[in-house]
Protein backbone atom coordinates (compact mmCIF):
# COMPACT_ATOMS: atom_id res chain seq x y z
CA UNK A 1 0.00 0.00 0.00
CA UNK A 2 1.34 3.44 -0.86
CA UNK A 3 2.04 6.00 1.81
CA UNK A 4 -0.60 8.33 0.44
CA UNK A 5 -3.24 5.64 0.66
CA UNK A 6 -2.22 4.79 4.22
CA UNK A 7 -2.45 8.44 5.12
CA UNK A 8 -5.94 8.74 3.68
CA UNK A 9 -7.09 5.74 5.64
CA UNK A 10 -5.50 6.94 8.86
CA UNK A 11 -6.89 10.42 8.67
CA UNK A 12 -10.33 9.97 7.27
CA UNK A 13 -11.54 6.44 7.38
CA UNK A 14 -11.13 5.43 11.00
CA UNK A 15 -13.91 3.23 12.14
CA UNK A 16 -15.40 2.86 8.68
CA UNK A 17 -15.93 -0.56 7.23
CA UNK A 18 -13.82 -0.34 4.14
CA UNK A 19 -15.24 -3.50 2.59
CA UNK A 20 -17.97 -3.54 -0.02
CA UNK A 21 -21.09 -3.64 2.05
CA UNK A 22 -24.80 -3.25 1.71
CA UNK A 23 -25.69 -0.23 3.75
CA UNK A 24 -28.98 -0.13 5.54
CA UNK A 25 -30.46 3.30 5.18
CA UNK A 26 -33.45 4.64 6.98
CA UNK A 27 -36.30 5.00 4.53
CA UNK A 28 -38.14 8.21 5.32
CA UNK A 29 -40.09 8.38 2.11
CA UNK A 30 -42.14 5.81 0.32
CA UNK A 31 -40.58 4.96 -3.01
CA UNK A 32 -41.65 6.92 -6.04
CA UNK A 33 -42.68 4.06 -8.35
CA UNK A 34 -40.44 3.73 -11.43
CA UNK A 35 -40.74 0.89 -13.92
CA UNK A 36 -37.21 1.30 -15.26
CA UNK A 37 -35.10 3.44 -17.57
CA UNK A 38 -37.15 4.83 -20.48
CA UNK A 39 -34.42 6.56 -22.48
CA UNK A 40 -31.21 8.55 -22.18
CA UNK A 41 -30.98 11.84 -24.07
CA UNK A 42 -27.53 12.97 -25.17
CA UNK A 43 -26.92 16.51 -26.40
CA UNK A 44 -24.41 16.58 -29.25
CA UNK A 45 -22.73 19.41 -31.15
CA UNK A 46 -23.53 17.67 -34.42
CA UNK A 47 -26.41 15.30 -33.69
CA UNK A 48 -26.45 13.91 -37.22
CA UNK A 49 -22.83 12.76 -37.00
CA UNK A 50 -23.10 11.58 -33.36
CA UNK A 51 -26.14 9.48 -34.35
CA UNK A 52 -24.02 7.89 -37.10
CA UNK A 53 -21.36 6.97 -34.48
CA UNK A 54 -23.91 5.30 -32.21
CA UNK A 55 -25.40 3.39 -35.16
CA UNK A 56 -22.21 2.25 -36.87
CA UNK A 57 -20.01 2.01 -33.77
CA UNK A 58 -22.39 0.77 -31.07
CA UNK A 59 -24.98 -0.88 -33.31
CA UNK A 60 -28.05 1.15 -32.38
CA UNK A 61 -30.84 1.27 -34.96
CA UNK A 62 -32.47 4.50 -36.02
CA UNK A 63 -36.18 4.32 -35.17
CA UNK A 64 -37.36 7.92 -34.95
CA UNK A 65 -36.64 11.51 -35.82
CA UNK A 66 -37.77 15.00 -34.95
CA UNK A 67 -36.51 18.10 -36.74
CA UNK A 68 -37.31 20.72 -39.34
CA UNK A 69 -38.99 18.13 -41.59
CA UNK A 70 -41.41 17.15 -38.81
CA UNK A 71 -42.20 20.75 -37.93
CA UNK A 72 -39.72 20.98 -35.03
CA UNK A 73 -37.92 24.29 -35.58
CA UNK A 74 -36.29 24.38 -32.11
CA UNK A 75 -34.11 21.27 -32.07
CA UNK A 76 -33.32 18.01 -33.81
CA UNK A 77 -33.43 14.50 -32.29
CA UNK A 78 -32.50 11.05 -33.57
CA UNK A 79 -34.06 8.14 -31.63
CA UNK A 80 -31.81 5.08 -31.57
CA UNK A 81 -32.63 1.66 -30.15
CA UNK A 82 -30.92 -1.63 -29.38
CA UNK A 83 -32.47 -4.26 -27.10
CA UNK A 84 -34.44 -2.24 -24.54
CA UNK A 85 -31.98 0.68 -24.64
CA UNK A 86 -33.25 3.90 -26.21
CA UNK A 87 -30.79 6.72 -26.84
CA UNK A 88 -32.00 10.09 -28.08
CA UNK A 89 -29.29 12.19 -29.72
CA UNK A 90 -30.35 15.84 -29.81
CA UNK A 91 -28.80 18.96 -31.31
CA UNK A 92 -29.65 22.59 -31.98
CA UNK A 93 -30.27 24.79 -35.02
CA UNK A 94 -29.47 28.16 -33.41
CA UNK A 95 -26.95 29.54 -30.93
CA UNK A 96 -29.89 30.84 -28.85
CA UNK A 97 -31.00 27.25 -28.14
CA UNK A 98 -30.57 25.92 -24.56
CA UNK A 99 -28.94 22.88 -26.21
CA UNK A 100 -26.23 25.17 -27.65
CA UNK A 101 -25.62 26.58 -24.16
CA UNK A 102 -25.33 23.08 -22.66
CA UNK A 103 -22.85 21.99 -25.35
CA UNK A 104 -20.84 25.18 -24.96
CA UNK A 105 -20.59 24.54 -21.20
CA UNK A 106 -20.17 20.77 -21.06
CA UNK A 107 -19.46 19.45 -24.54
CA UNK A 108 -21.43 16.45 -25.79
CA UNK A 109 -23.01 14.63 -22.87
CA UNK A 110 -26.09 13.27 -21.15
CA UNK A 111 -28.83 15.84 -20.59
CA UNK A 112 -31.65 13.58 -19.47
CA UNK A 113 -32.20 10.23 -17.79
CA UNK A 114 -35.78 9.28 -18.57
CA UNK A 115 -37.81 7.02 -16.27
CA UNK A 116 -40.82 4.90 -17.26
CA UNK A 117 -43.66 5.58 -14.85
CA UNK A 118 -47.33 4.65 -14.56
CA UNK A 119 -48.37 8.24 -13.98
CA UNK A 120 -46.14 11.16 -15.02
CA UNK A 121 -48.47 13.66 -13.31
CA UNK A 122 -48.45 11.94 -9.89
CA UNK A 123 -44.69 11.26 -10.12
CA UNK A 124 -44.04 14.93 -10.80
CA UNK A 125 -46.37 16.16 -8.07
CA UNK A 126 -44.91 13.76 -5.51
CA UNK A 127 -41.34 14.77 -6.46
CA UNK A 128 -42.18 18.48 -6.19
CA UNK A 129 -43.95 17.99 -2.85
CA UNK A 130 -40.69 16.47 -1.59
CA UNK A 131 -38.62 19.42 -2.75
CA UNK A 132 -37.67 18.62 -6.36
CA UNK A 133 -37.30 21.56 -8.74
CA UNK A 134 -39.48 21.62 -11.84
CA UNK A 135 -38.07 21.75 -15.38
CA UNK A 136 -41.37 21.07 -17.15
CA UNK A 137 -44.87 20.63 -15.77
CA UNK A 138 -46.76 17.53 -16.94
CA UNK A 139 -47.83 17.77 -20.58
CA UNK A 140 -50.30 15.30 -22.08
CA UNK A 141 -50.52 15.02 -25.86
CA UNK A 142 -52.97 12.91 -27.85
CA UNK A 143 -52.09 11.95 -31.42
CA UNK A 144 -52.73 9.04 -33.78
CA UNK A 145 -50.45 6.80 -31.64
CA UNK A 146 -52.34 7.34 -28.38
CA UNK A 147 -51.84 9.39 -25.24
CA UNK A 148 -48.37 10.42 -24.03
CA UNK A 149 -47.61 12.29 -20.81
CA UNK A 150 -44.23 13.56 -19.66
CA UNK A 151 -42.82 15.89 -17.00
CA UNK A 152 -39.31 16.86 -15.94
CA UNK A 153 -37.36 17.68 -12.78
CA UNK A 154 -33.80 18.79 -12.08
CA UNK A 155 -31.06 16.56 -10.70
CA UNK A 156 -27.24 17.04 -10.47
CA UNK A 157 -25.66 19.83 -12.53
CA UNK A 158 -27.55 20.56 -15.74
CA UNK A 159 -28.88 17.00 -15.86
CA UNK A 160 -32.62 16.32 -15.62
CA UNK A 161 -34.99 13.41 -15.08
CA UNK A 162 -37.98 13.00 -17.38
CA UNK A 163 -40.99 10.99 -16.19
CA UNK A 164 -42.61 9.27 -19.16
CA UNK A 165 -46.04 7.62 -19.18
CA UNK A 166 -46.32 5.80 -22.51
CA UNK A 167 -48.63 3.07 -21.28
CA UNK A 168 -51.33 4.11 -23.77
CA UNK A 169 -48.92 5.18 -26.51
CA UNK A 170 -47.70 2.80 -29.22
CA UNK A 171 -45.19 2.60 -32.09
CA UNK A 172 -43.85 6.15 -32.00
CA UNK A 173 -41.19 7.44 -29.55
CA UNK A 174 -43.13 10.58 -28.63
CA UNK A 175 -45.48 13.17 -30.13
CA UNK A 176 -43.84 15.37 -32.79
CA UNK A 177 -41.51 12.51 -33.70
CA UNK A 178 -41.91 10.36 -36.78
CA UNK A 179 -40.66 6.89 -37.61
CA UNK A 180 -37.42 6.99 -39.53
CA UNK A 181 -35.16 4.03 -40.37
CA UNK A 182 -32.02 3.29 -42.38
CA UNK A 183 -29.54 0.41 -42.79
CA UNK A 184 -26.55 1.90 -40.97
CA UNK A 185 -26.70 -0.10 -37.70
CA UNK A 186 -24.19 -2.88 -37.10
CA UNK A 187 -25.92 -4.63 -34.15
CA UNK A 188 -23.72 -5.64 -31.20
CA UNK A 189 -26.35 -7.47 -29.05
CA UNK A 190 -26.52 -4.79 -26.38
CA UNK A 191 -29.58 -5.49 -24.24
CA UNK A 192 -30.48 -3.16 -21.40
CA UNK A 193 -29.20 -0.38 -19.17
CA UNK A 194 -27.60 -1.87 -16.03
CA UNK A 195 -26.71 1.41 -14.28
CA UNK A 196 -25.94 5.07 -14.99
CA UNK A 197 -23.18 6.76 -13.01
CA UNK A 198 -22.89 10.41 -11.98
CA UNK A 199 -19.76 12.33 -11.03
CA UNK A 200 -20.36 15.15 -8.55
CA UNK A 201 -18.05 17.70 -6.96
CA UNK A 202 -16.03 17.03 -3.82
CA UNK A 203 -18.20 16.98 -0.67
CA UNK A 204 -21.41 16.92 -2.76
CA UNK A 205 -21.96 13.15 -2.63
CA UNK A 206 -23.99 13.11 0.56
CA UNK A 207 -26.26 15.91 -0.69
CA UNK A 208 -27.15 13.90 -3.80
CA UNK A 209 -27.56 10.69 -1.80
CA UNK A 210 -30.03 12.65 0.36
CA UNK A 211 -31.71 13.96 -2.83
CA UNK A 212 -32.39 10.45 -4.17
CA UNK A 213 -33.48 9.26 -0.72
CA UNK A 214 -35.83 12.18 -0.19
CA UNK A 215 -37.29 12.72 -3.67
CA UNK A 216 -37.33 9.13 -4.94
CA UNK A 217 -37.27 7.05 -1.75
CA UNK A 218 -34.20 5.20 -3.12
CA UNK A 219 -31.76 3.48 -0.76
CA UNK A 220 -27.98 3.09 -0.68
CA UNK A 221 -27.49 -0.26 -2.41
CA UNK A 222 -23.70 -0.35 -2.09
CA UNK A 223 -20.97 1.88 -0.79
CA UNK A 224 -17.32 2.13 -1.80
CA UNK A 225 -14.93 4.30 0.17
CA UNK A 226 -11.48 5.62 -0.60
CA UNK A 227 -9.73 2.46 0.58
CA UNK A 228 -11.73 0.42 -1.95
CA UNK A 229 -11.18 2.84 -4.81
CA UNK A 230 -7.77 4.39 -4.55
CA UNK A 231 -4.50 3.98 -6.32
CA UNK A 232 -1.25 5.70 -5.62
CA UNK A 233 -2.56 8.71 -7.50
CA UNK A 234 -6.28 9.06 -7.50
CA UNK A 235 -9.19 8.15 -5.32
CA UNK A 236 -12.93 8.40 -5.21
CA UNK A 237 -15.87 7.64 -2.98
CA UNK A 238 -19.05 6.14 -4.40
CA UNK A 239 -22.58 5.31 -3.28
CA UNK A 240 -25.01 3.34 -5.41
CA UNK A 241 -28.59 4.62 -5.17
CA UNK A 242 -31.28 2.13 -6.21
CA UNK A 243 -34.98 1.42 -6.09
CA UNK A 244 -36.20 -1.67 -4.27
CA UNK A 245 -36.95 -3.68 -7.41
CA UNK A 246 -33.42 -3.00 -8.69
CA UNK A 247 -34.64 -1.73 -12.07
CA UNK A 248 -32.90 1.60 -11.46
CA UNK A 249 -29.33 1.79 -10.16
CA UNK A 250 -27.59 5.15 -10.05
CA UNK A 251 -24.07 5.12 -8.58
CA UNK A 252 -22.75 8.56 -7.61
CA UNK A 253 -19.01 9.27 -7.37
CA UNK A 254 -17.15 12.15 -5.81
CA UNK A 255 -13.41 12.78 -5.98
CA UNK A 256 -11.32 12.10 -2.90
CA UNK A 257 -8.13 14.00 -2.08
CA UNK A 258 -5.03 12.08 -3.17
CA UNK A 259 -1.46 12.64 -4.26
CA UNK A 260 -2.51 13.52 -7.82
CA UNK A 261 -5.73 14.56 -9.51
CA UNK A 262 -8.59 12.08 -9.15
CA UNK A 263 -10.12 10.78 -12.38
CA UNK A 264 -13.41 12.18 -11.09
CA UNK A 265 -11.86 15.63 -10.75
CA UNK A 266 -10.55 15.38 -14.32
CA UNK A 267 -14.13 14.71 -15.46
CA UNK A 268 -15.49 17.64 -13.43
CA UNK A 269 -12.81 19.99 -14.79
CA UNK A 270 -13.54 19.05 -18.41
CA UNK A 271 -17.31 18.74 -18.03
CA UNK A 272 -17.22 22.07 -16.19
CA UNK A 273 -19.39 20.66 -13.45
CA UNK A 274 -21.04 17.43 -12.50
CA UNK A 275 -22.87 15.11 -14.87
CA UNK A 276 -23.21 11.55 -16.15
CA UNK A 277 -19.84 9.75 -16.22
CA UNK A 278 -20.85 6.45 -17.76
CA UNK A 279 -23.75 4.35 -18.98
CA UNK A 280 -23.42 0.61 -18.36
CA UNK A 281 -25.22 -1.64 -20.85
CA UNK A 282 -25.71 -5.40 -20.51
CA UNK A 283 -25.03 -8.16 -23.00
CA UNK A 284 -25.51 -11.95 -22.82
CA UNK A 285 -22.22 -12.61 -24.61
CA UNK A 286 -19.59 -10.02 -23.82
CA UNK A 287 -16.86 -11.67 -25.93
CA UNK A 288 -18.98 -11.48 -29.07
CA UNK A 289 -20.32 -7.99 -28.26
CA UNK A 290 -16.90 -6.48 -27.54
CA UNK A 291 -15.36 -8.19 -30.60
CA UNK A 292 -17.98 -6.53 -32.80
CA UNK A 293 -17.74 -3.16 -31.04
CA UNK A 294 -13.94 -3.21 -31.50
CA UNK A 295 -14.30 -4.08 -35.19
CA UNK A 296 -16.78 -1.18 -35.45
CA UNK A 297 -14.09 1.16 -34.13
CA UNK A 298 -15.15 1.60 -30.49
CA UNK A 299 -12.01 1.99 -28.33
CA UNK A 300 -11.67 0.34 -24.92
CA UNK A 301 -9.35 0.74 -21.94
CA UNK A 302 -6.74 -2.02 -21.73
CA UNK A 303 -5.25 -3.65 -18.66
CA UNK A 304 -1.75 -5.19 -18.63
CA UNK A 305 -1.52 -8.85 -19.76
CA UNK A 306 -0.37 -9.90 -16.28
CA UNK A 307 -3.93 -9.16 -15.06
CA UNK A 308 -4.94 -12.43 -16.78
CA UNK A 309 -2.06 -14.53 -15.39
CA UNK A 310 -3.55 -14.40 -11.90
CA UNK A 311 -7.19 -14.15 -12.94
CA UNK A 312 -8.38 -17.67 -12.02
CA UNK A 313 -6.58 -17.40 -8.66
CA UNK A 314 -8.71 -14.37 -7.92
CA UNK A 315 -12.10 -15.30 -9.41
CA UNK A 316 -12.04 -19.10 -9.61
CA UNK A 317 -13.40 -21.08 -12.53
CA UNK A 318 -15.27 -19.20 -15.23
CA UNK A 319 -16.96 -20.38 -18.43
CA UNK A 320 -15.21 -17.96 -20.76
CA UNK A 321 -11.88 -18.56 -22.48
CA UNK A 322 -9.22 -16.49 -20.71
CA UNK A 323 -7.31 -15.86 -23.94
CA UNK A 324 -10.44 -14.35 -25.50
CA UNK A 325 -10.86 -12.08 -22.49
CA UNK A 326 -7.17 -11.09 -22.53
CA UNK A 327 -7.22 -10.30 -26.26
CA UNK A 328 -10.20 -7.98 -25.82
CA UNK A 329 -9.23 -6.60 -22.39
CA UNK A 330 -12.42 -7.82 -20.64
CA UNK A 331 -12.24 -7.74 -16.82
CA UNK A 332 -13.75 -10.30 -14.41
CA UNK A 333 -14.84 -10.01 -10.81
CA UNK A 334 -16.60 -12.32 -8.39
CA UNK A 335 -18.84 -11.61 -5.42
CA UNK A 336 -21.05 -13.76 -3.18
CA UNK A 337 -23.69 -14.21 -5.88
CA UNK A 338 -21.54 -15.13 -8.85
CA UNK A 339 -19.24 -13.32 -11.25
CA UNK A 340 -19.41 -10.52 -13.79
CA UNK A 341 -17.46 -9.53 -16.87
CA UNK A 342 -17.00 -5.87 -17.77
CA UNK A 343 -15.06 -3.47 -19.98
CA UNK A 344 -14.96 0.31 -20.25
CA UNK A 345 -14.79 2.37 -23.42
CA UNK A 346 -12.56 5.37 -23.81
CA UNK A 347 -14.46 8.69 -23.69
CA UNK A 348 -16.87 8.92 -26.64
CA UNK A 349 -16.17 12.59 -27.37
CA UNK A 350 -13.03 14.76 -27.31
CA UNK A 351 -13.53 15.97 -23.74
CA UNK A 352 -12.51 13.17 -21.32
CA UNK A 353 -16.04 12.95 -19.93
CA UNK A 354 -18.81 10.47 -20.90
CA UNK A 355 -17.90 6.84 -21.59
CA UNK A 356 -19.70 3.48 -21.79
CA UNK A 357 -19.36 0.23 -19.85
CA UNK A 358 -20.32 -3.14 -21.33
CA UNK A 359 -21.27 -5.66 -18.63
CA UNK A 360 -22.30 -9.30 -18.54
CA UNK A 361 -23.64 -10.52 -15.21
CA UNK A 362 -23.26 -14.18 -14.34
CA UNK A 363 -24.96 -13.86 -10.99
CA UNK A 364 -22.81 -11.11 -9.48
CA UNK A 365 -24.76 -8.10 -8.24
CA UNK A 366 -21.78 -5.79 -7.63
CA UNK A 367 -19.95 -3.34 -9.84
CA UNK A 368 -16.53 -4.98 -10.22
CA UNK A 369 -14.81 -3.84 -7.04
CA UNK A 370 -12.00 -6.38 -7.55
CA UNK A 371 -11.14 -4.64 -10.83
CA UNK A 372 -10.87 -1.15 -9.43
CA UNK A 373 -7.11 -1.28 -8.90
CA UNK A 374 -6.26 -2.58 -12.40
CA UNK A 375 -8.88 -0.40 -14.00
CA UNK A 376 -7.90 2.84 -12.31
CA UNK A 377 -4.25 2.29 -13.11
CA UNK A 378 -5.36 1.95 -16.72
CA UNK A 379 -7.44 5.15 -16.49
CA UNK A 380 -4.46 6.95 -14.97
CA UNK A 381 -2.23 5.94 -17.87
CA UNK A 382 -4.77 7.57 -20.19
CA UNK A 383 -5.09 10.60 -17.89
CA UNK A 384 -1.29 10.97 -17.93
CA UNK A 385 -1.28 10.84 -21.76
CA UNK A 386 -3.77 13.71 -21.69
CA UNK A 387 -1.50 15.67 -19.31
CA UNK A 388 -4.22 15.70 -16.65
CA UNK A 389 -2.71 13.68 -13.80
FE1 LIG B 1 -20.17 1.01 -13.92
Amino acid sequence: MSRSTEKLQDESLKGKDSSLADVETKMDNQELPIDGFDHVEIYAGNAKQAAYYYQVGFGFELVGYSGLETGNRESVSYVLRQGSVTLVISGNYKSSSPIAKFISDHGDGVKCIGFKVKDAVKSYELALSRGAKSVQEPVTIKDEFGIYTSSMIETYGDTIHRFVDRNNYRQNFAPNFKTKTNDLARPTSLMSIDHIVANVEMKQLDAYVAFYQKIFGFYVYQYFDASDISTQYSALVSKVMANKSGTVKLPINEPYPAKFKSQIQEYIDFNEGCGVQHIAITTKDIVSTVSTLSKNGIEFLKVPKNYYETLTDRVGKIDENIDDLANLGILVDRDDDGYLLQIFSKPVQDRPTLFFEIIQRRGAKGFGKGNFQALFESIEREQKLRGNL
Side-chain angles (χ1 to χ4, degrees):
M1 189 187 287
S2 72
R3 280 189 65 195
S4 62
T5 311
E6 277 172 20
K7 191 161 173 273
L8 291 177
Q9 289 180 325
D10 287 345
E11 284 176 1
S12 305
L13 299 170
K14 266 180 197 159
K16 267 191 186 175
D17 178 8
S18 66
S19 66
L20 173 70
D22 291 347
V23 178
E24 285 296 321
T25 307
K26 206 174 91 209
M27 300 277 289
D28 292 328
N29 282 329
Q30 227 188 341
E31 191 175 293
L32 191 154
I34 291 174
D35 294 335
F37 293 107
D38 186 83
H39 65 276
V40 176
E41 184 170 12
I42 293 172
Y43 281 178
N46 185 335
K48 187 173 194 165
Q49 290 188 6
Y52 180 88
Y53 176 84
Y54 285 104
Q55 290 171 88
V56 174
F58 278 94
F60 285 88
E61 277 183 47
L62 180 68
V63 296
Y65 172 80
S66 172
L68 292 174
E69 298 84 346
T70 67
N72 180 356
R73 306 199 66 80
E74 303 299 316
S75 60
V76 58
S77 293
Y78 298 82
V79 185
L80 308 176
R81 190 164 295 142
Q82 188 168 191
S84 67
V85 185
T86 302
L87 294 184
V88 181
I89 314 295
S90 298
N92 65 85
Y93 291 119
K94 294 276 174 70
S95 61
S96 55
S97 160
I99 298 177
K101 166 80 171 117
F102 180 98
I103 290 164
S104 167
D105 289 347
H106 309 296
D108 289 14
V110 173
K111 172 63 185 179
C112 171
I113 298 170
F115 294 133
K116 275 188 180 61
V117 295
K118 293 201 170 49
D119 188 330
V121 178
K122 273 191 192 157
S123 303
Y124 173 90
E125 284 171 353
L126 185 58
L128 257 63
S129 74
R130 292 171 173 181
K133 290 196 183 123
S134 172
V135 176
Q136 182 208 289
E137 287 183 6
V139 176
T140 299
I141 297 176
K142 279 185 199 170
D143 65 13
E144 72 254 50
F145 302 104
I147 303 169
Y148 175 100
T149 306
S150 69
S151 54
M152 297 188 260
I153 61 163
E154 290 180 4
T155 179
Y156 44 81
D158 285 332
T159 318
I160 61 170
H161 287 306
R162 183 181 285 129
F163 299 117
V164 180
D165 169 4
R166 58 172 76 256
N167 296 299
N168 295 302
Y169 197 75
R170 295 286 177 269
Q171 293 177 306
N172 199 23
F173 174 68
N176 303 318
F177 279 75
K178 70 169 192 185
T179 302
K180 187 173 180 176
T181 58
N182 61 26
D183 295 323
L184 283 177
R186 297 180 195 164
T188 58
S189 304
L190 293 174
M191 289 170 48
S192 59
I193 294 178
D194 188 271
H195 58 275
I196 300 179
V197 182
N199 283 344
V200 302
E201 278 111 341
M202 203 174 278
K203 298 199 163 65
Q204 290 296 305
L205 175 60
D206 287 337
Y208 285 106
V209 167
F211 172 87
Y212 281 101
Q213 286 174 326
K214 186 178 165 206
I215 308 295
F216 288 89
F218 286 1
Y219 73 107
V220 180
Y221 176 72
Q222 284 183 343
Y223 168 39
F224 309 92
D225 69 23
S227 67
D228 291 317
I229 317 180
S230 67
T231 64
Q232 189 176 355
Y233 301 102
S234 77
L236 63 93
V237 186
S238 186
K239 287 183 179 175
V240 181
M241 305 309 296
N243 61 356
K244 250 180 274 163
S245 64
T247 53
V248 176
K249 293 194 199 82
L250 302 172
I252 307 171
N253 301 327
E254 74 171 4
Y256 194 81
K259 193 172 172 187
F260 290 105
K261 185 186 279 188
S262 164
Q263 52 167 295
I264 308 306
Q265 192 58 48
E266 186 201 31
Y267 172 101
I268 286 163
D269 290 351
F270 278 85
N271 194 61
E272 298 186 31
C274 47
V276 170
Q277 179 207 39
H278 75 266
I279 302 168
I281 306 182
T282 64
T283 169
K284 269 192 183 140
D285 183 352
I286 196 166
V287 171
S288 158
T289 292
V290 174
S291 298
T292 311
L293 287 166
S294 298
K295 277 184 207 133
N296 291 355
I298 301 302
E299 298 175 295
F300 292 98
L301 293 175
K302 295 280 184 193
V303 292
K305 290 282 178 209
N306 63 17
Y307 171 90
Y308 297 93
E309 285 162 15
T310 53
L311 183 61
T312 29
D313 298 341
R314 284 190 288 111
V315 302
K317 196 183 162 326
I318 57 170
D319 292 344
E320 291 72 17
N321 180 303
I322 306 271
D323 288 341
D324 288 345
L325 302 180
N327 288 335
L328 295 164
I330 294 166
L331 309 171
V332 190
D333 192 30
R334 188 179 282 280
D335 64 22
D336 293 344
D337 302 296
Y339 67 96
L340 62 80
L341 304 110
Q342 62 185 168
I343 191 167
F344 298 85
S345 81
K346 290 187 180 180
V348 293
Q349 60 291 304
D350 293 311
R351 294 197 198 196
T353 50
L354 175 67
F355 61 88
F356 282 77
E357 172 182 353
I358 311 301
I359 183 166
Q360 181 180 0
R361 292 189 180 277
R362 287 190 173 274
K365 296 192 175 107
F367 295 85
K369 182 194 157 203
N371 290 321
F372 289 164
Q373 187 72 22
L375 180 66
F376 294 143
E377 284 170 8
S378 174
I379 290 174
E380 278 163 11
R381 283 193 294 277
E382 298 281 324
Q383 217 177 322
K384 202 170 177 188
L385 284 174
R386 295 191 284 258
N388 291 333
L389 194 60

